[in-house]
Amino acid sequence: MKIVQLISGFGVNGAIIQCLRLTEALARRGHDVTLIGREGSWIQEQVEGTNIKFVDSALRRWPLKQVKQMARWIEDENVDIVHTHNTSGQLFGIMLKMFTRVPVVATAHHTKVHAYWAMKDFVIANSDHTRSVEVNWNRVRQQNVETVRALIDHAPIPRNADELRQAWREEHGFREEDKVVGIVGDVCPRKNHLLLLKALPAILRQVPNAKIAVIGNRCPIYIKRVRSQVIRMGVRDAFRFINFQNDIPNVMRAIDLLVACPTQEAFGLTPPEAMAACKPVVATRVGGLIESVADGETGYLVPSQNADALGEAIIKILRDDQLAQQMGQAGRARFLDMFDNHRNVVRHEEIYADVARRVLRREVAWPSVPLEPRPASIPTVGLPPMVYHR
């Protein structure tokens, strides 16, 4: 198939990571994939030197000159499907439909209400929660939306994982006996770091060697607010800020527990990434988090905005190494079952083919590379992990 992945945005976030992983997977399957995005963007840097073609575009919707030029290029290249991501990319894709018959598929990476969703030829939701929003609020017809799980890094667990864990902890000032609680992702209001900070005094009373590692890109205004609160509470040693990390699987192996306590979350990449590394997860009972975290099995789900409940769940795991290990192993098993990247890539292909058949009234070419067999057990060695900034 000739596939265009179209994404806006200069930096890196969950949607951009998902777009990149899907683009790479489809290219490995033998599809002719072109990535359209902003010049100088992070995702452009990631595909340089690969067999994935990159076309830079400002994605301006007005005046219509750029939209028309892109539509002509799509027609001339005999593109079978356009797959759009991120808000500006979604809007540009709708404009393309005015000038080309090529179908437009969109991934809903968030749960915002927009009129354009109902105008897409098909919508792929990143969780059942997101799918529900698309149907009930964005008026997408049920037959035109489906949940397809995100592509999550199935990073092999290296034989020297213990040494890598110790090296990461030493580099960032954590001792071996410290209980490191990670909160990974953009440091922004929606991620609700202040809730974890509010729970910290109770945690330290029960687990004095607990440390919070805040890992990710930072919103300047919000980070200033969080830092001020940390200073006022006198917990600078226990609540530490770490810049974005290139190797997320290594981070997950180095921490003891992951916390995800956002106020709202369409899906949430970090809980399954932690589960892949055999780490327990404590998360708020919001959005797509309730689909990945099995309460009482792979971690705990707690009410949103409830610092006491959050702290109690964290304490329970940090004080019981056997429980943490059991939950980590259960999380890994759940991860392998839920996030089968091979199955999810094939489902994207099937959706593309069905939509092209319906809109263009023709068949499309199938991949020339056979599907790789799914690993039967937890890998210990193999290819290096996907490496992405946060």
Side-chain angles (χ1 to χ4, degrees):
M1 265 183 276
K2 298 200 74 170
I3 304 166
V4 165
Q5 297 288 335
L6 190 154
I7 189 161
S8 51
F10 287 97
V12 56
N13 56 32
I16 291 174
I17 289 173
Q18 282 304 298
C19 176
L20 177 61
R21 288 178 178 171
L22 177 60
T23 300
E24 292 173 334
L26 291 168
R28 284 195 299 269
R29 291 271 285 145
H31 296 289
D32 185 347
V33 187
T34 299
L35 181 63
I36 298 176
R38 311 276 194 182
E39 183 178 10
S41 60
W42 175 86
I43 198 169
Q44 180 183 13
E45 296 174 1
Q46 307 308 306
V47 299
E48 287 179 353
T50 72
N51 64 336
I52 298 168
K53 300 183 289 292
F54 184 86
V55 175
D56 65 85
S57 173
L59 301 177
R60 294 193 184 95
R61 301 185 297 275
W62 189 263
L64 294 174
K65 179 180 179 181
Q66 194 169 103
V67 178
K68 291 179 178 179
Q69 288 176 339
M70 186 66 69
R72 282 196 296 271
W73 177 85
I74 287 171
E75 292 284 352
D76 292 343
E77 291 291 316
N78 294 315
V79 170
D80 295 307
I81 207 87
V82 175
H83 190 162
T84 57
H85 310 260
N86 278 5
T87 301
S88 293
Q90 306 291 13
L91 291 168
F92 194 86
I94 288 298
M95 300 292 284
L96 284 174
K97 285 175 62 63
M98 298 168 56
F99 303 102
T100 176
R101 291 182 59 248
V102 175
V104 177
V105 170
T107 291
H109 297 281
H110 57 71
T111 54
K112 296 176 182 177
V113 177
H114 288 294
Y116 59 67
W117 291 111
M119 302 167 66
K120 302 288 185 174
D121 292 299
F122 199 88
V123 176
I124 296 172
N126 62 0
S127 69
D128 291 337
H129 169 70
T130 303
R131 182 186 182 280
S132 175
V133 171
E134 293 304 309
V135 171
N136 296 319
W137 290 93
N138 286 322
R139 315 310 296 172
V140 177
R141 291 183 296 174
Q142 292 196 25
Q143 64 267 32
N144 279 355
V145 59
E146 180 179 327
T147 300
V148 181
R149 299 294 176 189
L151 303 184
I152 307 293
D153 191 354
H154 284 242
I157 300 173
R159 291 193 179 95
N160 64 338
D162 290 341
E163 289 84 354
L164 293 173
R165 165 189 164 92
Q166 183 177 354
W168 188 91
R169 290 167 77 103
E170 289 178 353
E171 178 185 353
H172 297 287
F174 298 111
R175 300 168 300 175
E176 181 59 32
E177 60 269 26
D178 287 338
K179 296 289 188 179
V180 181
V181 178
I183 179 167
V184 183
D186 289 341
V187 185
C188 61
R190 181 173 63 84
K191 299 296 185 180
N192 208 12
H193 299 75
L194 289 171
L195 183 69
L196 179 56
L197 184 56
K198 185 177 180 181
L200 184 56
I203 296 171
L204 291 175
R205 284 194 293 270
Q206 297 291 324
V207 189
N209 58 335
K211 307 290 183 184
I212 308 297
V214 180
I215 303 164
N217 293 321
R218 305 172 185 179
C219 169
I221 297 175
Y222 180 69
I223 194 71
K224 184 177 180 180
R225 181 182 171 192
V226 177
R227 283 187 186 278
S228 298
Q229 184 66 9
V230 168
I231 294 171
R232 281 194 296 270
M233 294 173 61
V235 292
R236 278 186 289 184
D237 181 60
F239 200 92
R240 303 180 185 178
F241 297 91
I242 299 172
N243 288 331
F244 67 75
Q245 299 287 290
N246 292 333
D247 189 344
I248 294 300
N250 189 49
V251 170
M252 294 302 183
R253 290 191 294 267
I255 64 177
D256 297 294
L257 166 69
L258 179 84
V259 169
C261 54
T263 54
Q264 57 93 10
E265 189 72 80
F267 167 64
L269 283 176
T270 58
E273 288 173 335
M275 292 157 60
C278 298
K279 300 299 177 181
V281 178
V282 174
T284 45
R285 195 183 293 273
V286 297
L289 296 179
I290 64 175
E291 299 169 33
S292 54
V293 180
D295 189 28
E297 297 179 21
T298 66
Y300 292 113
L301 291 168
V302 300
S304 180
Q305 301 289 22
N306 190 326
D308 291 340
L310 181 67
E312 289 171 6
I314 292 170
I315 291 167
K316 190 171 183 178
I317 294 175
L318 293 185
R319 295 187 67 182
D320 190 336
D321 291 343
Q322 184 177 1
L323 176 65
Q325 184 178 15
Q326 289 173 349
M327 286 183 162
Q329 291 172 346
R332 175 72 186 189
R334 183 173 176 84
F335 164 78
L336 290 174
D337 181 62
M338 284 188 67
F339 299 98
D340 184 336
N341 287 351
H342 307 300
R343 179 179 64 208
N344 293 340
V345 170
V346 169
R347 188 60 195 135
H348 277 85
E349 294 171 341
E350 292 170 344
I351 289 171
Y352 293 164
D354 289 344
V355 173
R357 192 179 299 115
R358 170 165 54 88
V359 177
L360 299 177
R361 300 187 183 281
R362 64 173 172 82
E363 298 295 327
V364 294
W366 280 88
S368 57
V369 179
L371 191 65
E372 298 174 4
R374 175 181 171 177
S377 61
I378 299 176
T380 55
V381 291
L383 297 173
M386 302 176 184
V387 175
Y388 299 113
H389 300 296
R390 284 279 184 195

